[in-house]
Amino acid sequence: MRITAAIESWPIARPFTTARGTKQTAHLVVATVTDGNVGGRGECVPYPRYGDDPEVVAGTINDFQGPFDRRELLDALPAGPARNAIDCALWDLEAKRSGQLAWQLAGVPKPVDIPTAFTLPLDSASAMGQQAEAEQWRPLLKVKLGSHDVAADVERLRVVRAKAPGPRLIVDANEGWNMAALAEFAPVAAALGVDLIEQPLPEGQDQVLAGFQSPVPLAADESIRDGSNLAVLAARYQTVNIKLDKTGGLTRALTLADEARELDVGVMVGCMVATSLSMAPALLLAGRAQIVDLDGPDLLVADRQPSLPYASGCVSYSAAVWG
């Protein structure tokens, strides 16, 4: 087996602003594993929030000497983007060598016409309202908030709901609030029909959520990585956002989704801003998830080709992309 990594940069269609800052380019790393005849690919997004760097991630992949077995890989590398890219490349390789599609190998239904969230970046209330109005045909909108001014966030949400009365809404605060802000915001969100609030408090400061009776279900995002703390989070959150770049691949993500179900914790499958090559393996979790947020390619100037089919606010699996 031989493995190589390549760093890629993909322009984002409009500035992607969250409580953490603004991105205009998605920096990705693509791993390719080959047995000399067939190759498999996997894509990851090094996440600065966790101290990841594209050069370091690519170096880790290029230096990897095995094992080239997905289950042994779980012990060989820590969770994170490098392991994700290698794991997904091994899934892709296994599918091509076996003649089975990845969803068949995973034992899940073929993901077809899966409704996905579309993200509205943090901006002024009027700008977010304009984008919400333009995207109101979608089934689900994700509203980025988490500014230090909760009153301004409330106004942003009110304007978004007024301009987009039809779609389901979820809110992502990206660790931007404190407990007082959440207590002020949550009743308004409930009145406006918000389905979920993601990561309202900073990781490491969310123990105060234990026992908090939120009128809107709360989801852990930054607080959950490989899922080793799932039992603790189950007392604080009603849902966990599973992202392959955090779990270190599809293999761990599938088992984590099952563990969440056993603890009666809801599952959301999420993504970083990336191409269809990142979304395709994550899409295999759709059958285990109550909320799917795989809009990465929709946020780019252009997706890689071939790409997953995105239509009417839904996404479908395509073996031409991966698996």
Side-chain angles (χ1 to χ4, degrees):
M1 292 282 192
R2 180 171 178 266
I3 187 165
T4 57
I7 299 173
E8 300 179 352
S9 295
W10 293 77
I12 297 173
R14 56 174 293 174
F16 189 78
T17 301
T18 71
R20 195 167 291 115
T22 300
K23 289 178 59 174
Q24 294 184 294
T25 303
H27 300 290
L28 318 176
V29 178
V30 176
T32 302
V33 178
T34 179
D35 63 2
N37 297 307
V38 180
R41 296 184 303 161
E43 179 180 289
C44 70
V45 183
Y47 193 28
R49 166 64 179 81
Y50 294 136
D52 297 323
D53 175 86
E55 295 286 348
V56 173
V57 169
T60 298
I61 295 170
N62 280 321
D63 292 341
F64 186 70
Q65 300 296 316
F68 291 98
D69 176 277
R70 291 186 287 103
R71 291 153 197 85
E72 294 179 8
L73 180 65
L74 294 174
D75 295 323
L77 286 177
R83 194 176 81 186
N84 176 34
I86 297 171
D87 179 77
C88 291
L90 291 174
W91 275 93
D92 190 32
L93 179 64
E94 183 178 347
K96 291 173 179 174
R97 293 170 73 179
S98 69
Q100 288 186 284
L101 299 177
W103 59 268
Q104 295 171 320
L105 292 172
V108 302
K110 181 180 180 180
V112 177
D113 294 335
I114 305 297
T116 177
F118 179 81
T119 303
L120 306 182
L122 181 63
D123 207 328
S124 67
S126 60
M128 294 183 74
Q130 289 174 4
Q131 191 177 13
E133 186 173 23
E135 305 294 345
Q136 64 177 310
W137 55 272
R138 296 179 184 270
L140 176 62
L141 295 178
K142 178 172 177 173
V143 185
K144 288 285 189 179
L145 297 175
S147 72
H148 295 299
D149 185 348
V150 69
D153 279 345
V154 166
E155 177 61 18
R156 289 180 176 102
L157 182 62
R158 289 190 187 280
V159 172
V160 165
R161 176 49 92 195
K163 295 294 186 179
R168 297 167 61 203
L169 295 182
I170 55 177
V171 165
D172 187 0
N174 281 118
E175 306 179 276
W177 294 330
N178 57 27
M179 195 63 201
L182 173 61
E184 179 179 343
F185 183 88
V188 178
L192 293 173
V194 171
D195 286 8
L196 193 74
I197 298 174
E198 279 186 74
Q199 198 67 43
L201 308 184
E203 177 192 8
Q205 299 178 28
D206 52 3
Q207 62 273 10
V208 295
L209 294 176
F212 175 61
Q213 300 297 312
S214 176
V216 177
L218 305 179
D221 185 354
E222 284 82 359
S223 286
I224 186 166
R225 300 192 195 183
D226 67 349
S228 58
N229 60 343
L230 181 60
V232 172
L233 294 178
R236 305 173 185 175
Y237 297 93
Q238 293 71 56
T239 297
V240 291
N241 187 353
I242 298 177
K243 294 177 179 175
L244 272 58
D245 279 311
K246 295 187 299 179
T247 64
L250 175 62
T251 302
R252 173 58 185 145
L254 288 167
T255 59
L256 177 55
D258 289 340
E259 291 166 7
R261 180 170 54 191
E262 291 173 3
L263 290 173
D264 198 27
V265 175
V267 170
M268 173 180 179
V269 54
C271 68
M272 310 301 185
V273 182
T275 78
S276 282
L277 186 56
S278 281
M279 305 305 123
L283 192 54
L284 270 60
L285 289 164
R288 289 168 161 86
Q290 291 74 55
I291 295 178
V292 173
D293 177 22
L294 297 177
D295 63 343
D298 268 349
L299 303 173
L300 299 174
V301 171
D303 194 5
R304 74 171 71 246
Q305 297 299 319
S307 59
L308 293 179
Y310 281 80
S312 302
C314 297
V315 58
S316 296
Y317 171 88
S318 170
V321 177
W322 174 92

